[in-house]
Structures are given as structure tokens and as C-alpha cells.
Amino acid sequence: MKKTLLSITASLFSLLSIAQMSNYVFSASSGTFTDITGGTNISSIQVDDGTSSILAIGFTFNYRGVDYTKFKANSNGWITFDTLATPAGFDQRANNLSGNTSHRPILAPLWDDISGVNGTASYITTGTSPNRVLTVEGKNYKWNWLATPASISFQ
């Protein structure tokens, strides 16, 4: 089975981080994809259009001037810091990214209508203060929810 590997790492440092989408710059790079070992399983997003329960970041993360210590992960490749968010299936997918604010504040390094069916998901916090890193991983996910084989793994 041919496997495409997409590695996107969202490093969350406990520093004030205020960025606007207009300042975002994509820079391709290559490296070694290292699976999470010893992380916490997120079985609730090993489905299609699933959102996890509330999970601990493991440190205080300041995003746009607000401190967060918890998040929710979604099987479509994004996390939200709004722990009250319960988005409907339609609102979880990429086709409603710009028009819906129901899951903000959000980090969406990969947001598409992907599926975690038959895949695995986990997260881990590493490092020491003030350089803590939260890594969320989806492994062997289907890029399109209708795809037959798993085609991506991402962090």
C-alpha cells in the first residue's frame, strides 16, 4: 500500500502569540516523521466527524491574549480551545471554515473532511517550561472520508 505522509507539527509554546491569518506563511520542509509513543489515546476521534471530550494541554497556552489549559480535538484535523464547543458534522468540515465561528478559537494546521475510521489518534505534552510542546497525532487516516485505504498520518 502506497502511503502519503503529511507531517504537520503545531508547537504550542507558553508565550504570547498573536498572529493574523494574513501573516501566515507556508514553508515546505522534509524530515523524519516520528510516531508518538507513550501518548494518550483519543479514541473518540478515530471515527468520521468526531470531536473529543475535554483534554488537558499540560501547560498554559496564551493564544490571542487569552490563556488556555484545555482543548478538544477533531477527526477532521483541527483542535479548539472552546471546551463548550459541540459542532455539528457539517460545521466540522472544511466547507464551513470561513463562515462559522462555532469552534473558535481554533488551530487548524490540517482541516479537511478526513476520517479516522480504522486509524489511531493520540496526544502528548513534552519538554520543560517554558518550552512545552503539545503534539496531536492522527495516524492512518483517510484523506477523504470515502477513501478505501488509509492515506495520511499527521501531527
Side-chain angles (χ1 to χ4, degrees):
M1 169 173 67
K2 184 176 179 181
K3 187 174 183 180
T4 302
L5 182 66
L6 174 63
S7 178
I8 299 174
T9 303
S11 296
L12 304 180
F13 294 96
S14 185
L15 300 171
L16 179 61
S17 174
I18 300 176
Q20 299 298 317
M21 193 59 138
S22 61
N23 296 334
Y24 178 81
V25 176
F26 175 77
S27 178
S29 64
S30 62
T32 304
F33 182 89
T34 305
D35 292 328
I36 289 178
T37 56
T40 302
N41 185 32
I42 316 173
S43 59
S44 55
I45 65 169
Q46 295 169 186
V47 298
D48 185 35
D49 296 333
T51 302
S52 73
S53 59
I54 299 169
L55 305 169
I57 294 172
F59 57 94
T60 300
F61 176 63
N62 188 291
Y63 184 64
R64 298 190 57 121
V66 178
D67 289 339
Y68 298 97
T69 58
K70 298 177 182 181
F71 71 102
K72 285 185 172 184
N74 187 272
S75 63
N76 288 313
W78 53 268
I79 66 173
T80 179
F81 300 111
D82 179 357
T83 57
L84 300 177
T86 55
F90 177 81
D91 291 336
Q92 296 176 33
R93 301 179 195 122
N95 57 2
N96 208 20
L97 174 60
S98 63
N100 191 304
T101 60
S102 67
H103 11 303
R104 293 182 187 168
I106 190 170
L107 289 178
L110 173 66
W111 185 345
D112 204 350
D113 191 10
I114 60 179
S115 172
V117 172
N118 297 321
T120 59
S122 60
Y123 75 101
I124 192 167
T125 301
T126 57
T128 56
S129 183
N131 299 310
R132 305 289 312 243
V133 178
L134 169 69
T135 304
V136 180
E137 177 180 271
K139 187 174 175 190
N140 297 319
Y141 272 43
K142 299 175 184 177
W143 188 270
N144 179 297
W145 63 278
L146 291 174
T148 302
S151 58
I152 62 167
S153 293
F154 60 92
Q155 294 181 334

